[in-house]
Each structure stands twice: as structure tokens, then as C-alpha cells.
Amino acid sequence: MDLYAKAKTLGIQTDFIDGHGQHRVTTPEALSAILDALPPEPARRIIAEPVVIRSGHAARIELREAARLPVHWKITDGAALLAEGETRQRSLAWPADLPQGVHRLQVSDASGTSETLPLLVAPEKAFAGEFDRCWLIAVQLYGVRSARNWGIGDFTDLQGLLKFAQQVGADGIGLNPLHALFDDRPGDCSPYSPNSRLFLNGLYIDVEKIPEFKIDAETQAALAQLRTRDLVDYVAVGPLKWRALRAAFAAFKAKPGRGRRQAFEAYRSEQGELLSRYACFEVMRHKLNTPWWEWPDEWRQPNEAACTRLRGANDTATEVEFVEFVQWTADQQLGGCQALAHKLGMRVGLYLDVAVGVQSDGFDAWNEQIAISRHLGVGAPPDPLNTAGQDWGLAGFNAAGLELRAFEPFREMLRASMRHAGAVRLDHAFGLRRLYLVPRGFGPANGAYVQMPFEALLGATALESVAGRCVVIGEDLGTVPEGFREQMNGWGIWSYLVMMFEHDDSGVFRNADYYIADALVTFNTHDLSTYAGWRSFSDLKTKRALGIDPGETDQGRWDALGHLDDLLRRHGIENHDLYAVASFLARTHSRMMVVSMEDLLGLVDQPNIPGTVNEHPNWRRRLAVSIEHLSSAIDVDALKRSTQERSRGG
């Protein structure tokens, strides 16, 4: 079988039309590298793919032509038999009373062929939320300025933000990913390039809230300078905060506050082997200071015996426990924020983002080497906004590996993200159906689309969403595969509608009644211009100064401003300031609306410019106004008027 024919059988799309309308074909060299990096697909003669049974829908599948009748089947949940039967027809009907969850299906036919595959029983739809329409404030947590934080926003600031949101009628705060980064690489601060999506970034801990911690004079002196800076100085903040966390841990070890040791042990027990493996990985990563694939053989894959030895050794046991202590502290403080949101009567509380992939040398890629390949980067082919294409440098899930692991790595990621959230957003949700993968060493224009088990991933998402009572939003911006939104929305996963992009081919913005109900609506994103920057053309000027094609001319922007004014007038809105735009968004049918803090404060610079690393201070800008003065810096009355249609009690 030739290379391209083999790729087709594995669901790899080697030719496609990119965002410029150009036909592209993956080169043989790049395709060969992609095939080598993927786990082997299981041969299937009887049933083609994992079975997804959806509550309230007919549960019947067609057998493959190669299957020899009769076919016997058995469904188990661990050791327990749930159901079994036999069919002498070319189709197979499943029992209607199977419990929800991911089960093991074993099938065999008259030829003696036997196969095992996952069978997923899912709710009809994901959790829908218990509200009609609401609105939230989006914030870059690292950038929050306060009189007491350490030069970077933290979970105590998040509590303050929730209280402010409650005062203005919002139902929560939206945040970029809080995933664990690398504590020894303070300059690698993108929240979308995590070490692990299963654990939290320790830099967001308010160290002074740890009962055992006492601040010293040296730290106090350093903080005075850090608090005045306009950019987060990660290189200074990181070591300072990690040193303080170690001091707090030492005090905890020596004399924990009342009930704290028991609470810590309860958390360790609840998190189990996953937390233990993460802590051991972090200790070994610091100890060896090389990528995990260069580690000694016993550590190149998760090894419980090796972890047990590490936990018991005198020189490493305390280090392992320290990593767990940090995660416990972060989990407690973040959980306290969501508890406060509920106490304040917020219908969403925290709305958290989930990155599309992980760093290949981080914990998740080490911990899950079947469902994640470190040799493939997730990205996107060329389009008008990114003319060279994109390789985000992140390792993502692959279809064969997820199936072999019965989708547990994907579900585990969702559970971790939903643990303290009322809503989550899946970054680059198209990855549920297909991922654009770029083999290491090749340019982003030379990747290929690899098909994912879309229906199974939607079912798994619905399972976790209902279990966690958490609304799921799929970030579906860009080139949308045919039928994608309809299928995603049919499972109760919401769309992500950015007003900047919601216009027809002539640039005329869509009316309020165009926006669908099960969606989040916002004017922009962290990767786009702020409203003030958009109106002032600042984003165009900045990109041109950086040598980046902004994908828009000055005349195009003037036209867009005119179209916006026309839209607002059509809806009886005379002004064109931010509150006018918020008033329009509030009238749409979309059930969740988000306004960014940068826009509320009239800031010009956007948090992130895709395609840049050090050329622009991405993920570093601090808000110009401290949290204590938000009420005086924002026209609260105008904000309340513009959002009154969907405010709590409104």
C-alpha cells in the first residue's frame, strides 16, 4: 500500500484547501513522519469504530461487510457483566438500559475473529446551565493589579474580581487557562503552552493566605518594586513566590495549623496516583534537567515502582510532598473562589479555558504517551490572519491512542478543568473532529489534517459536563468543517461567537437576531485588538511595526467602523462607545455574553499577538488600574444600563 493510500485508511487528509483558497498536498517526507508518530490503528473486521449510545436516541449500528454472522457481543464495566447477546443480522441493536459511562465491548464472529473496543453511553446533551441569559467579565488573572499582590494577580484578587462582578450584575469571571506551567522557566508564561492541563499554576497562589506563612523583610522589600511595574516580571516574581511557597511548606511540615494535615492527606488520597506521578515527574525533571525522553530507562514512562522508591528516599521524599502541597494549596484557593461565587448568587461563577495541547516535554506528554505524541505539533494551515500557517508547538491527542485508552485521558482533562468551574471553553474545538498536525522539523504549511473520533469525544464531553454540572463552549473560530457546528451544538456544546467576525462578505455586521441561543458572544478575544485599539487602528500599526501582515487595510478598518455605526443605529443605539457595543451584545439571543476588563478600562494594547514571542509583551501586561479602584475607573452606571437585560435580577 502506498504512503497516501495508507494515510487515507487512517483518516489522514493529505490534501486540502487552506484559508487562502489554495490547494495544498502534504509532502511524502512530512506524511511519513506523521505516520511514524501515530500509534497503530487496531484492525477492525466487525465494528468500524467505538460505539456511542446516546440517551433518548435509537441505539443501533451496522456491522462491517467483513463480519461473518452470527456475531456475539458482551459489554462489561470492569469485571462486571452489563449485557450480552447475539445477532444474525447485519445490524446490531443495543439494550436501552445500559448505565452511563465508558464500557468495554467485546465482539466475535463466526470466523473466530474477536475484537475489543470502547462503548460509550452518554447523556443526550451536555449540561445546559440553569439560567436564561447572563454576562461575565473576562480577565487576564496574571495582569490584575492590587495593593497587596506580588506583582502578579492571584486567587485572592480573583475573589475581589468576583465581588466587583457581583456589584455590576455579572454572573462570573472568565479566565485564560490556569494550567500548570514550568516553575523553572519563568519566561515561558503563555497559559496556552502548559506543562500539564491536569494541575494548576502555583504562581496564582496567594502565599500570604497560607496559615503557616510569615513574610520576611527581604521579601517585603522586593515586593515594593514588583508592585509598581507595568509588566509582570516573571523572572523576578517566579523565584520569589516559589521561595515563599517553600518557606510556607517548611512551616507546615514543622507545625501545621489545626486540621490542615488531615485536609492535606484527604486531598492526596482523593487525587491518588495521578498527583503522585505529577509530583515525582516534577522532582525528576528538576533533578535531571533534560527532556524526559533522555531520562534513565526506568523513568522514561510512568513507573509506580520507581515513584514509590522516590517517595521513600530521604533526599527526595520532601520534594515530592512539596509539589503536592503546592497543588493542594492552589486547589483550595481556586475552590474557595468558586464557593464565593455561589455564595454571591452567581449563576456561572468561574468560566475557565482549556488549552488545545501541552508542551511535549511536560508532564501530560510523559504521563500519556499513547494518546499524546510528542513528535507532532498542533497548528493550523495558512489563513488570512496567519498567512504562513501556525505550529503552536503543542502536542495534542491522537485518535488511535484515545481509543486504546478508552478516552480516559480526554475525560481526565475535562474533569480537572471543570473541578471548580461553572463553564469551560475548549480552545480550538475543531480538534474534536480533526487536528492539523505538523511533524517536528517541518514548517506549518506542511502538516496534514488527522481525523478524530468526533462523536465519541462529544459523548465523553457530555458525560463530564453533566457530571460536573458545567456548561461547555467550543471555540469554533476559523475555517469551519462542514456540519461541525450543527453536530457540536446538537450535543449541547455551545458555539463561540466573536462579533468582530460576524459579518457578511461585504462587511455588514449581523443583526442581533442572527446570534444563536446556545453560544457565548463577545466583541473580541485575547488574541484580537481591544475595542479602543480597534477604533484607533492601533492593532494595525503595531502589527505592521512588527513586520506582521495585519490582514486588513486602513480603508478596510474605516469601512468596518462605518458598518458598526450602521448596525448600532439599526438597533436604536446612537453612540458607538464600548457601552453601546455591550448594549447590542446584550440584546442578542446568545445565552452567555462576555466583556473584557481591558475594554471596560479603555486599554489600547491587546494581551497577546499571535505569531510573536518576545517582539511583543504577550501575557505580561498588567492592568493600569488596581482592583481597589475599578469602580471609579469604570462607568459602572453605563455598564449596568447596557447589560441590564441579562444582569442578575434584571
Side-chain angles (χ1 to χ4, degrees), residues 287-343:
K287 186 176 181 179
L288 298 174
N289 200 29
T290 57
W292 55 261
W293 50 87
E294 296 178 7
W295 291 0
D297 286 348
E298 70 169 344
W299 282 105
R300 289 190 186 178
Q301 292 188 336
N303 182 325
E304 294 308 322
C307 276
T308 299
R309 288 194 297 274
L310 196 72
R311 297 184 70 91
N314 291 333
D315 61 333
T316 52
T318 299
E319 287 298 302
V320 171
E321 192 176 352
F322 169 67
V323 177
E324 295 172 331
F325 172 83
V326 169
Q327 285 304 312
W328 172 57
T329 304
D331 183 77
Q332 273 196 321
Q333 292 192 2
L334 181 62
C337 292
Q338 184 67 345
L340 173 64
H342 289 153
K343 184 179 177 182

Side-chain angles (χ1 to χ4, degrees), residues 377-397:
V378 178
D383 63 29
L385 281 178
N386 296 279
T387 53
Q390 300 174 76
D391 179 353
W392 300 320
L394 301 172
F397 290 125

Side-chain angles (χ1 to χ4, degrees), residues 80-391:
L81 176 67
L82 298 178
E84 65 179 324
E86 186 176 275
T87 182
R88 295 180 178 274
Q89 300 177 351
R90 303 305 304 178
S91 64
L92 202 162
W94 304 109
D97 58 350
L98 290 170
Q100 290 186 2
V102 180
H103 310 305
R104 178 185 173 95
L105 170 65
Q106 295 170 278
V107 290
S108 56
D109 70 357
S111 72
T113 299
S114 182
E115 297 169 2
T116 301
L117 63 163
L119 180 143
L120 192 150
V121 184
E124 183 180 15
K125 289 194 172 186
F127 179 65
E130 295 177 330
F131 54 86
D132 178 19
R133 293 187 306 157
C134 68
W135 75 282
L136 314 175
I137 300 174
V139 181
Q140 319 294 321
L141 185 55
Y142 59 83
V144 175
R145 192 187 291 266
S146 69
R148 44 144 297 281
N149 76 30
W150 287 28
I152 183 172
D154 60 29
F155 291 133
T156 296
D157 291 326
L158 180 53
Q159 292 206 353
L161 289 166
L162 286 164
K163 291 172 184 174
F164 173 76
Q166 190 256 357
Q167 290 168 13
V168 297
D171 269 296
I173 294 291
L175 300 169
N176 278 339
L178 303 177
H179 307 320
L181 303 183
F182 295 91
D183 61 337
D184 52 350
R185 300 183 205 165
D188 293 349
C189 57
S190 170
Y192 290 91
S193 298
N195 174 352
S196 174
R197 293 180 289 192
L198 305 175
F199 295 97
L200 296 168
N201 184 350
L203 286 184
Y204 290 130
I205 292 171
D206 177 1
V207 182
E208 294 183 54
K209 275 283 179 71
I210 301 174
E212 296 84 7
F213 178 70
K214 289 183 173 58
I215 197 164
D216 58 49
E218 183 183 351
T219 302
Q220 285 280 28
L223 291 179
Q225 289 188 345
L226 291 173
R227 286 174 177 144
T228 63
R229 295 183 182 168
D230 292 330
L231 300 178
V232 177
D233 187 347
Y234 289 99
V235 174
V237 170
L240 189 70
K241 187 162 271 196
W242 284 104
R243 191 186 71 179
L245 285 165
R246 286 189 176 278
F249 174 64
F252 169 81
K253 286 276 285 182
K255 189 179 179 181
R258 185 177 180 184
R260 300 242 311 140
R261 170 55 74 174
Q262 293 91 326
F264 177 46
E265 294 302 336
Y267 171 77
R268 294 171 84 183
S269 176
E270 178 194 8
Q271 295 295 308
E273 285 185 1
L274 186 65
L275 175 65
S276 174
R277 284 200 302 274
Y278 175 69
C280 290
F281 173 85
E282 284 295 279
V283 170
M284 292 303 296
R285 190 174 65 77
H286 285 88
K287 186 176 181 179
L288 298 174
N289 200 29
T290 57
W292 55 261
W293 50 87
E294 296 178 7
W295 291 0
D297 286 348
E298 70 169 344
W299 282 105
R300 289 190 186 178
Q301 292 188 336
N303 182 325
E304 294 308 322
C307 276
T308 299
R309 288 194 297 274
L310 196 72
R311 297 184 70 91
N314 291 333
D315 61 333
T316 52
T318 299
E319 287 298 302
V320 171
E321 192 176 352
F322 169 67
V323 177
E324 295 172 331
F325 172 83
V326 169
Q327 285 304 312
W328 172 57
T329 304
D331 183 77
Q332 273 196 321
Q333 292 192 2
L334 181 62
C337 292
Q338 184 67 345
L340 173 64
H342 289 153
K343 184 179 177 182
L344 294 172
M346 293 183 165
R347 295 174 288 185
V348 175
L350 299 182
Y351 155 54
L352 305 181
D353 222 348
V354 184
V356 70
V358 295
Q359 294 274 28
S360 60
D361 59 346
F363 171 72
D364 289 6
W366 172 80
N367 184 56
E368 187 43 68
Q369 295 176 43
I370 296 174
I372 297 175
S373 172
R374 67 179 176 87
H375 298 289
L376 300 173
V378 178
D383 63 29
L385 281 178
N386 296 279
T387 53
Q390 300 174 76
D391 179 353

Side-chain angles (χ1 to χ4, degrees), residues 480-539:
V480 184
E482 185 179 352
F484 174 87
R485 282 192 178 127
E486 292 78 5
Q487 195 169 353
M488 184 180 78
N489 298 157
W491 274 93
I493 298 170
W494 297 10
S495 281
Y496 186 70
L497 304 179
V498 177
M499 183 181 168
M500 262 191 191
F501 300 144
E502 294 299 333
H503 52 71
D504 64 19
D505 292 341
S506 62
V508 175
F509 284 104
R510 312 284 190 188
N511 287 326
D513 58 6
Y514 173 84
Y515 291 79
I516 61 174
D518 285 347
L520 181 151
V521 64
T522 182
F523 177 75
N524 51 15
T525 78
H526 53 258
D527 287 337
L528 299 170
S529 175
T530 64
Y531 186 65
W534 186 73
R535 290 207 70 92
S536 65
F537 294 56
S538 174
D539 58 319

Side-chain angles (χ1 to χ4, degrees), residues 3-5 7-8 11-18 21-28 31 34 381 434 436 445-451:
L3 201 63
Y4 288 89
K8 186 175 181 180
I12 299 175
Q13 186 180 343
T14 55
D15 66 311
F16 54 90
I17 305 299
D18 70 16
Q22 293 185 329
H23 181 251
R24 292 187 177 271
V25 179
T26 312
T27 65
L31 181 57
I34 291 171
R434 66 179 189 180
Y436 185 77
N446 212 348
Y449 279 111
V450 179
Q451 299 301 311

